[in-house]
Amino acid sequence: MKNKKRWVAMAVAVMMVSSLPAAAFADTPAGPAAVSGEAVNVDKENAGEPVNVAVSKEKAASLARELVSIPKEYTLQSASYSTDLLAGGKRGVWSLDFVKKVNGKHKGSIYARISADSGQLLEFNSYVDDANSKPSYPLKVERAQALEIAKAYMNTIAPAYKDQVQYNPDYGVQLLPPLTGEVRHSIRYDRIVNGISYVDNYIEVEVDSEGHVVRYSLVWDSTIEFPKVDKMLSLQEANAKLTELAKPVLTYILPYGAQKNTKPALSYELDTMTIQATDGKLLPNIYGGRGELVSPLPVAEKPLGEAPKKGAGLTEKEAIAKVTAAFKLPAGAKVTSTSYNEYTNERTGVNNANWNISWTIASNNEEIGSAYATVNSDTGVVVSFNCYLYGDGSKATVTLEQAKATAIETVKKQLPWIANELYLIEPNKDQYSSDKAGTFDAYYFGFVHKVNGATVSYDRVSVSVDGKTGEVRNFESSLSDYAYPNKAPNVIGDKQATEKWLTYYRTQLTYYLAQQYIWRGQPIPIEKYQLMLASGDVQANEVEYKTEAQLVYQMVPRLIDESVFLDAETGSWRNRETGDVTQLEKPQATDINGHWAQRQLELMVAYKALDVKDGKVRPNAIVTRGELIKMLVLAMNSGHKPMFAAGDTAARASFNDVATSSSYYVYVESALQQNLIDIGDGTFNPEGKVDREEMAELIVRALGYNTLANYDQLFRIEFKDAAKVEKKGQAAIVVGLGIMTLSNGSFLPEKQVSRAEASAAFFRFLQSRADLQEAPLRN
């Protein structure tokens, strides 16, 4: 048995890895992990070749061809040299592009990165323009087979690393079964240090559904020094600490795929946290930089005025006057254009009318800047104002506190009715310190909108103040038209919200590489370092770089097939896209194990085309018209729910028995839009039963053959009950393609279709659709 397993593994390696040659590694593996790229000094006397590299461009190209098995017809189109910044130094890297052209047309490309220090293959990515290629359904290579291919490839191309990694079973998992053959399996192996996963170093292999390795990446830094920890928190202690530190935030959100007139939902949000494994100390948001520090007090204790009411509408002259009264325009500003537009907010149904105004600013007949503004014509509120003056290079003279006061007063003046609900996002004082006065010309401030203490996630106000003149240069107010309760509703509370969220997250022990850039004695964020480097404001040798590996516990979201939020009022999980109530643990059907259509039923249950009640999917129950249409639309959309179907804008249902609030609404409207169904007498009958002839016509329409099917004389009809079949062409097509079958030679058009039969038919529809795809005609 052992020999048989070994033979199978070797066969997989030989067939799927395309007989790749052994890798030419240096004695000590380099640490391939690109942190950032930077320019390098070039030897001008050597045609652009970089100085002091162990692997020349020609050698790198030769290694790439050998390691990736690049065919001879692919020619080297370009090569560039850069450096990767590692924890304990730098690494030179060659980036190489190989292309294949036929009659001047691009037919394929292979990109590879080779270490200029060791010759190690760091990455490759391939693309082939093959018009005749069409992935089959179901997949020829499922994830389990792709895992074997990836493992064999890794062992061949990176043998020096194979004993230092561990398969990550969560990464790249497609949680819903695919409804198309165009699938790429992403397989990742995490680096293991002292028995602990370091998830930021890894080997990743991507395998397509035909079994080809199409991408490879080695992200690794061997210069990192990992700490030896003698004592640390247990997993139980870490979870207790995370529970103690958790601060769920009440937030109003809008389901992003919801239909018109959907009300904001009050949610408890809880971001991921990371703590040191040694003492449980909370670390900053390690992947998101500095988090927002919001002032505990609003701009004003109470409203400073009444909310604006809609009037008769402003004239152009009145709109311009509103802007000039609200903001100071520089001398020499002249109106150059105005426009008026009206639109309807599809979410709220509110009609809006705006004036848009532009100015040119000149001095001594020379243009020195521009400005533009938007004014709500109905209310007279200045929605936005932006003034840009060409910089003169002078330093900021206005202090941060002066600019902050100006920003707050601007908000009070422009938005008085809501000033008691706006909270300043405290600016980063380090960013505006006196020693950085020459690096900025304006102060930027943001304001958060809160209702009864709950953050309104989709609203934001921003103000920028000129650092030299102290004048407001930019003002933006994005405030929605939704109505909110006068009093805070009853909610489940922080404790229960925390308990709920900690069932959504899992706690992972790993290493975190803390990076710090020091410039002129002050730490700067990596984003700013990269920006300054790219703009030439700083040279790499002017910045000190430090790293420190820390052992941490971090919160990782669980693997589920949808994005969710926690309803603050009910404590239930809801889908962030639709707002529908859902659950973390998906219902399992207990009545389909061993059923002849188990796989097909599981597919439809996974996509919620069929519901599960009390653990049962009822496979022998007759499928309804609503369920059938949902199956078909999901199958045609590769499992994606239609975001907006016909009729959404006007919020008017096409059928009088499928309201906009119906769970079938978007599917039925989409089916109507795609001509899968007809409007008929205006009723759809979503709970009606489906017979075989109706299902056959639906499937043929989805395949695009319904017009052809109406010429039934083209088909050889040999059904015993052909006289009873009205849609003979449609029946002949689905039987001929194997999507539906005969029973003792009869089609049985009036026989009602069970849930299992419908699921099996649509699985075979997916197969046939893949087989019927036709490659385009090429010259």
Side-chain angles (χ1 to χ4, degrees):
M1 183 63 70
K2 289 183 179 179
N3 289 335
K4 182 178 180 181
K5 289 182 179 178
R6 182 182 178 189
W7 181 88
V8 170
M10 291 176 63
V12 169
V14 171
M15 290 186 294
M16 299 301 189
V17 183
S18 304
S19 301
L20 286 167
F25 295 145
D27 293 337
T28 304
V35 178
S36 65
E38 60 183 70
V40 296
N41 294 326
V42 173
D43 182 358
K44 297 180 181 179
E45 298 179 358
N46 194 25
E49 287 286 327
V51 182
N52 299 326
V53 293
V55 178
S56 66
K57 178 182 70 176
E58 290 72 19
K59 179 61 175 177
S62 175
L63 284 170
R65 286 190 178 277
E66 178 185 359
L67 297 172
V68 186
S69 296
I70 299 176
K72 292 182 179 179
E73 57 266 29
Y74 282 74
T75 60
L76 181 62
Q77 184 181 47
S78 65
S80 61
Y81 179 89
S82 62
T83 58
D84 289 345
L85 192 59
L86 305 176
K90 300 176 182 178
R91 175 185 57 228
V93 176
W94 285 108
S95 297
L96 309 163
D97 274 303
F98 299 84
V99 299
K100 175 184 177 182
K101 290 185 178 180
V102 177
N103 297 327
K105 294 183 178 179
H106 189 103
K107 304 297 292 184
S109 61
I110 297 175
Y111 168 77
R113 296 179 77 240
I114 298 285
S115 170
D117 303 324
S118 67
Q120 169 73 55
L121 175 66
L122 306 181
E123 179 184 359
F124 95 81
N125 204 340
S126 62
Y127 164 75
V128 177
D129 181 14
D130 185 357
N132 297 315
S133 174
K134 55 175 186 178
S136 61
Y137 187 87
L139 308 184
K140 286 183 181 178
V141 174
E142 301 282 0
R143 184 173 176 85
Q145 297 166 285
L147 178 59
E148 292 300 317
I149 295 169
K151 185 178 180 180
Y153 184 87
M154 178 185 67
N155 290 345
T156 303
I157 208 73
Y161 297 86
K162 65 180 182 179
D163 295 327
Q164 303 177 57
V165 295
Q166 179 176 289
Y167 170 59
N168 185 334
D170 293 336
Y171 184 82
V173 174
Q174 189 165 341
L175 298 173
L176 288 172
L179 295 182
T180 173
E182 298 181 39
V183 170
R184 289 191 170 192
H185 305 284
S186 293
I187 311 295
R188 178 171 288 190
Y189 295 87
D190 292 332
R191 181 179 182 180
I192 301 298
V193 180
N194 301 323
I196 299 168
S197 294
Y198 175 40
V199 295
D200 288 336
N201 274 191
Y202 53 83
I203 295 175
E204 187 173 340
V205 182
E206 197 169 275
V207 181
D208 68 16
S209 58
E210 301 292 304
H212 306 127
V213 176
V214 292
R215 188 173 68 84
Y216 165 82
S217 182
L218 173 61
V219 179
W220 202 284
D221 186 345
S222 59
T223 68
I224 300 173
E225 295 184 7
F226 292 93
K228 293 183 179 179
V229 178
D230 298 325
K231 187 177 181 180
M232 65 180 184
L233 300 178
S234 66
L235 179 60
Q236 183 178 3
E237 291 170 331
N239 284 329
K241 190 64 179 177
L242 289 168
T243 301
E244 175 190 334
L245 294 170
K247 290 181 173 57
V249 178
L250 282 170
T251 307
Y252 278 105
I253 69 168
L254 283 173
Y256 52 84
Q259 300 166 22
K260 179 182 173 181
N261 297 328
T262 299
K263 296 180 180 179
L266 186 58
S267 166
Y268 264 117
E269 302 289 297
L270 182 64
D271 290 334
T272 59
M273 293 181 290
T274 302
I275 60 173
Q276 289 183 342
T278 52
D279 57 10
K281 179 182 177 182
L282 181 66
L283 295 174
N285 188 336
I286 59 179
Y287 295 108
R290 177 181 181 268
E292 290 185 347
L293 301 176
V294 180
S295 172
L297 298 175
V299 166
E301 294 183 3
K302 58 183 180 180
L304 302 178
E306 293 185 358
K309 297 179 181 179
K310 286 194 173 185
L314 301 179
T315 65
E316 176 188 71
K317 185 176 180 181
E318 290 170 335
I320 294 172
K322 287 286 185 181
V323 178
T324 55
F327 298 98
K328 183 179 180 180
L329 281 161
K334 181 180 178 181
V335 174
T336 52
S337 68
T338 61
S339 64
Y340 174 85
N341 70 291
E342 297 179 356
Y343 69 97
T344 300
N345 186 320
E346 291 187 356
R347 281 188 175 273
T348 64
V350 175
N351 294 319
N352 293 280
N354 288 333
W355 278 103
N356 302 298
I357 309 157
S358 297
W359 291 263
T360 296
I361 304 167
S363 177
N364 297 324
N365 295 322
E366 182 181 353
E367 185 176 329
I368 62 170
S370 61
Y372 62 91
T374 299
V375 183
N376 187 306
S377 177
D378 297 323
T379 63
V381 172
V382 179
V383 177
S384 68
F385 170 77
N386 294 275
C387 179
Y388 177 74
L389 296 175
Y390 306 148
D392 58 7
S394 60
K395 294 185 178 182
T397 56
V398 176
T399 66
L400 174 61
E401 290 304 314
Q402 289 172 328
K404 178 177 173 181
T406 299
I408 292 174
E409 286 305 313
T410 299
V411 169
K412 288 181 178 180
K413 178 182 176 183
Q414 301 304 320
L415 307 169
W417 71 93
I418 204 173
N420 63 314
E421 295 181 354
L422 296 176
Y423 294 73
L424 174 71
I425 300 172
E426 295 291 351
N428 185 349
K429 293 183 179 180
D430 292 338
Q431 182 180 349
Y432 299 115
S433 60
S434 57
D435 64 318
K436 296 185 177 68
T439 66
F440 65 91
D441 59 4
Y443 295 93
Y444 297 89
F445 303 92
F447 296 82
V448 174
H449 182 200
K450 292 187 178 183
V451 176
N452 298 320
T455 299
V456 181
S457 63
Y458 39 86
D459 284 358
R460 187 60 67 98
V461 175
S462 62
V463 180
S464 71
V465 178
D466 192 297
K468 297 181 285 295
T469 67
E471 299 292 343
V472 173
R473 286 291 169 251
N474 296 278
F475 169 79
E476 298 282 345
S477 63
S478 176
L479 299 172
S480 56
D481 299 318
Y482 293 103
Y484 300 95
N486 293 326
K487 295 194 306 182
N490 294 326
V491 295
I492 60 174
D494 290 2
K495 181 179 179 182
Q496 188 176 344
T498 298
E499 291 173 354
K500 284 272 190 176
W501 272 114
L502 291 182
T503 65
Y504 170 80
Y505 292 110
R506 63 181 176 86
T507 306
Q508 180 182 50
L509 178 66
T510 187
Y511 292 98
Y512 164 62
L513 191 62
Q515 304 170 3
Q516 192 175 50
Y517 293 86
I518 309 296
W519 181 55
R520 295 182 179 176
Q522 296 291 327
I524 58 174
I526 183 173
E527 295 82 7
K528 183 173 182 180
Y529 165 73
Q530 292 174 332
L531 183 63
M532 294 173 66
L533 193 67
S535 64
D537 291 338
V538 67
Q539 297 299 315
N541 57 10
E542 297 175 354
V543 178
E544 183 183 358
Y545 173 69
K546 296 181 179 179
T547 62
E548 179 186 7
Q550 301 174 353
L551 190 60
V552 300
Y553 280 106
Q554 65 179 12
M555 294 164 59
V556 180
R558 68 156 61 194
L559 282 174
I560 58 174
D561 58 17
E562 58 185 327
S563 180
V564 298
F565 69 91
L566 181 63
D567 191 305
E569 298 181 65
T570 65
S572 59
W573 293 104
R574 293 170 61 184
N575 185 294
R576 281 190 186 270
E577 177 187 347
T578 65
D580 297 338
V581 174
T582 186
Q583 53 193 27
L584 301 184
E585 299 293 341
K586 301 306 175 187
Q588 299 294 320
T590 59
D591 59 344
I592 61 174
N593 291 333
H595 193 281
W596 65 269
Q598 178 177 343
R599 181 184 182 185
Q600 295 89 334
L601 285 162
E602 288 174 341
L603 188 68
M604 293 303 158
V605 168
Y607 282 95
K608 298 181 181 178
L610 297 177
D611 60 345
V612 178
K613 293 182 179 179
D614 300 323
K616 296 183 178 180
V617 72
R618 297 168 289 121
N620 298 322
I622 303 304
V623 72
T624 68
R625 299 187 84 235
E627 290 170 339
L628 195 72
I629 285 296
K630 188 173 182 180
M631 285 183 187
L632 184 59
V633 171
L634 284 170
M636 294 182 68
N637 292 359
S638 299
H640 301 298
K641 177 181 178 180
M643 295 295 289
F644 296 99
D648 277 347
T649 301
R652 185 181 300 115
S654 300
F655 295 95
N656 55 33
D657 55 353
V658 185
T660 57
S661 58
S662 169
S663 60
Y664 294 126
Y665 171 72
V666 294
Y667 301 100
V668 171
E669 295 291 342
S670 179
L672 181 65
Q673 190 178 49
Q674 297 179 70
N675 199 33
L676 302 178
I677 55 177
D678 302 317
I679 194 67
D681 63 359
T683 59
F684 176 73
N685 189 19
E687 299 303 322
K689 308 303 181 186
V690 178
D691 60 38
R692 283 169 55 84
E693 190 162 37
E694 182 178 5
M695 184 168 74
E697 183 180 8
L698 277 171
I699 291 173
V700 170
R701 283 191 178 218
L703 290 171
Y705 295 156
N706 199 53
T707 300
L708 176 66
N710 289 330
Y711 295 92
D712 54 26
Q713 68 272 17
L714 297 175
F715 302 94
R716 186 175 180 179
I717 311 296
E718 296 182 341
F719 309 149
K720 291 180 180 179
D721 55 351
K724 296 180 181 180
V725 180
E726 181 180 349
K727 302 286 186 179
K728 292 181 174 61
Q730 287 83 350
I733 289 175
V734 294
V735 170
L737 292 174
I739 297 174
M740 296 175 67
T741 58
L742 301 178
S743 178
N744 296 322
S746 296
F747 185 73
L748 306 177
E750 298 177 352
K751 181 179 181 295
Q752 292 182 333
V753 181
S754 71
R755 288 177 142 206
E757 291 167 337
S759 300
F762 279 107
F763 185 81
R764 291 192 288 266
F765 160 78
L766 294 169
Q767 291 177 292
S768 296
R769 183 181 61 173
D771 292 338
L772 292 170
Q773 288 177 349
E774 186 173 353
L777 185 65
R778 297 293 181 96
N779 292 329

